[in-house]
Amino acid sequence: MKQVVRSLMLAWTSLLISPAFAEGYSGLGTESLAKETIEQFRPKPLDTSLTGRIQNMLDISSPGAGMLTADGKQLFFTWRVTGISQVWRLDGPQRFPVQMTGGEDATRLAGITPDNRFLLISRDRKGEENPGLYLQPTDGGSLIEIQHKPKVQTRLQFVSDDSQYVYYSANDQRQDSYALYRYEIHTGKKTLIFNQPGLWNIADHQADGRLLLEKNLSNVITEYYEFQPTTQQLTPLLGQDEKAEYNAAYSAHPGELIVQTSKLGDFRRLYRWQGGKFTPLSPEIKWDVSHFSIDPARRHIVFSINEGGYTRTAALDATTYAPIKLPTFKDADHIVINSHTRDGRFSVLAIETATAPLVSYIYEWKTGKLTQWQQSMTPEIDTRRFAKATLESYPARDGTPIPMFVRRPAQCDPAPCPVVVHFHGGPEGQSDAGFSAYAQLFVDAGFIFVEPNIRGSDGYGKTWLGMDDGPKRLDVVSDIEDAARYIRTNWGKNGRTPKIGIAGGSYGGYATLAGMTLFAGAYDAGVSTVGISNLMTFLQNTAPYRRQLRIAEYGNPETDRDALVKLSPINHIDKLAAPLMIIQGVTDPRVPVGEAIQMYEAAKKRQVPAELMLFADEGHGTQKRENRVFNIGHTLRFFETHLKHNP
């Protein structure tokens, strides 16, 4: 069957394609673009009736799950209720929240010192994804900068058990590598402890100073080492020369690791690892163990299972590995244990249903007591009426069932409802069930909202995840077109076929541009947000720390050039015929703004209806409330215009 798909793909790739956009571009961020261009394409005003609907939906607010202090008396969390992410505090269950941070920049909770004296705060500027790291007293006050440098990512790794040192990573030695530092809280002294090339993180640590280091070779492939800072000895443990996926932490037993990997099967599973031997801890099932954690006291191991876009959580005693029963929740689409107190007494447990946003509880392991600390807010909106996502599928042209989540309006007048097919990012991401105010805006506007998990998506095993790696994407990129084919054939009413729009962000933005060009005619309109238009120029200009990870996914410009050229939407611009809107953050370090500019200019030369919207103060997506209103509003306006009002 794979040969059939290959033949089909070769058929269309053999068609004449236009050369890559000749002018190209260089660099990223505001430095790569004229101020006049940014001003020309700033968001235009919207009708107040539309913005009002969006503002009401954005008022639905749910705090992040958060972290509990070691004594169990205060919960700190990130919340976007003010319009931008900030850090908040609760001094008890259901108490009035206290805002800890403010300003116009996205600010998030990264950690708490074991002695409860300080928060570790991460703050970004204008969506540049170059966050700085700060301390803040837990009773409030000014931020104390640990490090925040232009064009440098500074991220928390951990705080020492004695609360004296903060360990962090930064790409300030080399733009494409993360060095590791130790910061002394009392004196402010910084010490470089590790500086080898590569994308390094500290996965775990031991009381004697040993560090478990993770080296990322792609978004999936990892290697693990043990590092002793006093001797600078680096010992390989897992993944060397394997190109396999691992996530690991120290167990409660000396010389042993807890490891999540898909090395031994098609699905990720949890194991004990010692001396090269793997012993299973989680059951052998055809679902991925998507995440695991062990509390700092090494008393409990918790892991999440991704059941086709629904999240279930299980727990083990960290010493005996005996299963521990957890609370059950009716109608929960997602159940996740988010964080633990230092002594392992409490954990933060988050619940989300199809008709209610995320709510956090504190779970006491010894007594089994469950206490709700936070309350989501849904002013003037009855979320019980929200459309529930149904798990369905459509056949790819080789017969492979492609899973998709579908949300439908209660009725359509006139029928059939227009459809918006929304592709997730990644491409190693996954669309899932649960609560979505964003999707409901489309449903309320009369659209069927579809979210496929095409081949290359996470959550369906190692084979499915790797099906679009490098040149193999040529075999499965047609999954994008096949969604529209199926809908057009099967969802008609009264002899009429539905109009279909395509949308998505990041890789979903690429999928949109591909759907509108490589598969012109499949979709009637498209809105691409921070999407790649030319894989060659993208790999050339994306931020250095991203380049290695993205080459592992999309292909090497030197050895895979032909595939990258064939898969680039801009090289199929001559096929573009339907209206296209492009949305982009100027400071985006992942997908440079030049990707949007060159695609828009090429579309205009085709004299196809095309729009471009640039956000000067945003990066890879919109964070600020005002900009989110523009982003969502213009997307809805565009689809209302081209999927409903045209004959």
Side-chain angles (χ1 to χ4, degrees), residues 259-262 267-271 280-285 289:
V259 177
Q260 171 207 25
T261 183
S262 58
F267 294 89
R268 300 182 187 107
R269 196 174 176 186
L270 201 62
Y271 299 86
L281 290 175
S282 64
E284 185 175 8
I285 54 177
V289 171

Side-chain angles (χ1 to χ4, degrees), residues 11-132:
W12 65 256
T13 53
S14 65
L15 297 174
L16 180 64
I17 58 176
S18 59
F21 190 58
E23 296 179 17
Y25 68 94
S26 179
L28 49 77
T30 54
E31 299 171 1
S32 68
L33 205 60
K35 292 181 179 179
E36 295 79 11
T37 302
I38 299 174
E39 181 63 30
Q40 178 183 354
F41 295 107
R42 70 167 51 248
K44 303 296 190 294
L46 286 161
D47 186 272
T48 55
S49 64
L50 175 57
T51 58
R53 298 203 315 267
I54 298 169
Q55 293 281 12
N56 287 345
M57 199 65 81
L58 292 182
D59 280 339
I60 295 176
S61 183
S62 176
M67 303 177 187
L68 199 65
T69 53
D71 58 11
K73 294 182 178 180
Q74 292 179 313
L75 181 69
F76 293 88
F77 52 92
T78 303
W79 199 7
R80 197 156 62 174
V81 67
T82 61
I84 191 74
S85 295
Q86 298 295 346
V87 178
W88 296 72
R89 185 186 79 220
L90 280 176
D91 293 325
Q94 305 279 0
R95 299 286 294 274
F96 193 84
V98 177
Q99 186 172 352
M100 300 291 293
T101 63
E104 65 175 2
D105 293 321
T107 306
R108 295 176 174 85
L109 177 67
I112 306 174
T113 57
D115 61 7
N116 297 341
R117 291 185 60 210
F118 293 102
L119 304 179
L120 279 299
I121 301 292
S122 177
R123 170 167 284 174
D124 194 19
R125 295 174 181 141
K126 296 184 177 181
E128 295 173 343
E129 295 188 22
N130 293 314

Side-chain angles (χ1 to χ4, degrees), residues 498-642:
K499 286 203 167 186
I500 309 171
I502 182 172
S506 194
Y507 185 76
Y510 164 81
T512 298
L513 296 177
M516 297 293 288
T517 56
L518 278 73
F519 307 112
Y523 294 93
D524 299 299
V527 178
S528 170
T529 302
V530 296
I532 302 165
S533 62
N534 186 329
L535 288 162
M536 293 292 291
T537 56
F538 160 71
L539 291 172
Q540 177 184 343
N541 291 286
T542 190
Y545 74 92
R546 296 277 304 168
R547 191 168 296 124
Q548 175 184 326
L549 301 179
R550 295 298 78 197
I551 285 175
E553 171 63 34
Y554 294 112
N556 190 307
E558 296 182 5
T559 59
D560 302 316
R561 180 182 177 87
D562 288 349
L564 292 170
V565 169
K566 291 172 183 175
L567 287 163
S568 293
I570 201 167
N571 292 333
H572 301 266
I573 194 67
D574 290 346
K575 304 171 190 175
L576 178 67
L580 174 65
M581 183 177 190
I582 299 170
I583 300 172
Q584 180 70 44
V586 172
T587 65
D588 191 344
R590 304 189 192 194
V591 178
V593 64
E595 293 295 308
I597 297 294
Q598 67 182 6
M599 190 69 186
Y600 171 75
E601 292 180 347
K604 293 298 287 185
K605 288 182 179 179
R606 285 278 300 151
Q607 297 185 336
V608 172
E611 297 184 25
L612 174 65
M613 184 165 63
L614 300 179
F615 290 100
D617 54 349
E618 298 281 9
H620 199 64
T622 49
Q623 298 288 328
K624 298 178 180 179
R625 178 160 175 154
E626 178 185 13
N627 293 337
R628 293 171 67 204
V629 171
F630 279 125
N631 193 339
I632 298 168
H634 279 287
T635 299
L636 283 168
R637 171 194 59 79
F638 193 81
F639 283 138
E640 290 266 3
T641 300
H642 297 291

Side-chain angles (χ1 to χ4, degrees), residues 204-504:
D204 205 350
H205 67 283
Q206 294 280 39
D208 61 7
R210 285 176 294 148
L211 303 178
L212 184 64
L213 300 190
E214 175 190 68
K215 184 179 182 181
N216 292 292
L217 304 183
S218 76
N219 276 12
V220 176
I221 300 170
T222 51
E223 296 176 349
Y224 276 81
Y225 300 78
E226 189 169 69
F227 178 62
Q228 180 52 263
T230 55
T231 64
Q232 292 291 296
Q233 182 177 356
L234 185 68
T235 305
L237 296 178
L238 285 167
Q240 288 72 32
D241 301 318
E242 289 187 32
K243 293 186 177 180
E245 178 182 8
Y246 291 102
N247 289 291
Y250 287 118
S251 83
H253 302 282
E256 184 178 85
L257 299 178
I258 305 300
V259 177
Q260 171 207 25
T261 183
S262 58
K263 176 186 177 180
L264 304 180
D266 197 38
F267 294 89
R268 300 182 187 107
R269 196 174 176 186
L270 201 62
Y271 299 86
R272 302 164 58 187
W273 179 90
Q274 190 167 33
K277 180 183 178 182
F278 290 89
T279 303
L281 290 175
S282 64
E284 185 175 8
I285 54 177
K286 291 186 177 181
W287 299 117
D288 277 327
V289 171
S290 56
H291 173 76
F292 86 94
S293 64
I294 182 170
D295 61 64
R298 318 230 179 250
R299 295 172 61 183
H300 311 103
I301 300 168
V302 298
F303 59 95
S304 298
I305 299 171
N306 181 346
E307 296 183 355
Y310 298 86
T311 309
R312 308 293 178 244
T313 295
L316 302 171
D317 184 290
T319 302
T320 66
Y321 302 116
I324 301 174
K325 186 178 180 180
L326 292 173
T328 58
F329 295 86
K330 184 181 178 181
D331 299 327
D333 285 353
H334 303 289
I335 304 172
V336 179
I337 290 183
N338 185 70
S339 63
H340 316 274
T341 53
R342 303 289 300 188
D343 60 3
R345 180 184 172 190
F346 299 101
S347 292
V348 180
L349 194 151
I351 308 300
E352 182 180 288
T353 71
T355 56
L358 182 143
V359 173
S360 292
Y361 298 79
I362 302 302
Y363 180 64
E364 186 173 12
W365 290 89
K366 184 176 181 180
T367 65
K369 183 180 179 182
L370 196 66
T371 306
Q372 181 178 340
W373 273 59
Q374 298 172 330
Q375 182 66 53
S376 60
M377 297 190 297
T378 59
E380 299 186 27
I381 296 178
D382 182 4
T383 60
R384 293 173 298 179
R385 67 171 182 82
F386 276 27
K388 295 183 179 180
T390 59
L391 180 55
E392 304 177 23
S393 68
Y394 65 90
R397 59 195 59 186
D398 65 355
T400 301
I402 307 298
M404 60 178 174
F405 284 100
V406 182
R407 293 176 172 87
R408 290 180 170 85
Q411 60 183 10
C412 297
D413 186 18
C417 288
V419 180
V420 172
V421 182
H422 187 275
F423 289 89
H424 63 69
E428 310 94 335
Q430 181 188 23
S431 294
D432 57 17
F435 185 84
S436 176
Y438 179 78
Q440 189 63 34
L441 278 165
F442 288 85
V443 173
D444 287 346
F447 296 100
I448 297 175
F449 194 76
V450 179
E451 296 178 286
N453 284 309
I454 58 179
R455 283 173 281 192
S457 301
D458 199 3
Y460 305 93
K462 179 172 58 179
T463 301
W464 189 276
L465 180 64
M467 280 184 170
D468 68 344
D469 290 351
K472 291 190 292 183
R473 195 175 309 275
L474 289 167
D475 297 334
V476 299
V477 70
S478 54
D479 289 356
I480 297 168
E481 181 184 26
D482 290 341
R485 282 185 173 186
Y486 173 80
I487 291 167
R488 210 174 290 278
T489 302
N490 293 277
W491 289 6
K493 294 284 186 182
N494 305 322
R496 299 176 59 199
T497 57
K499 286 203 167 186
I500 309 171
I502 182 172

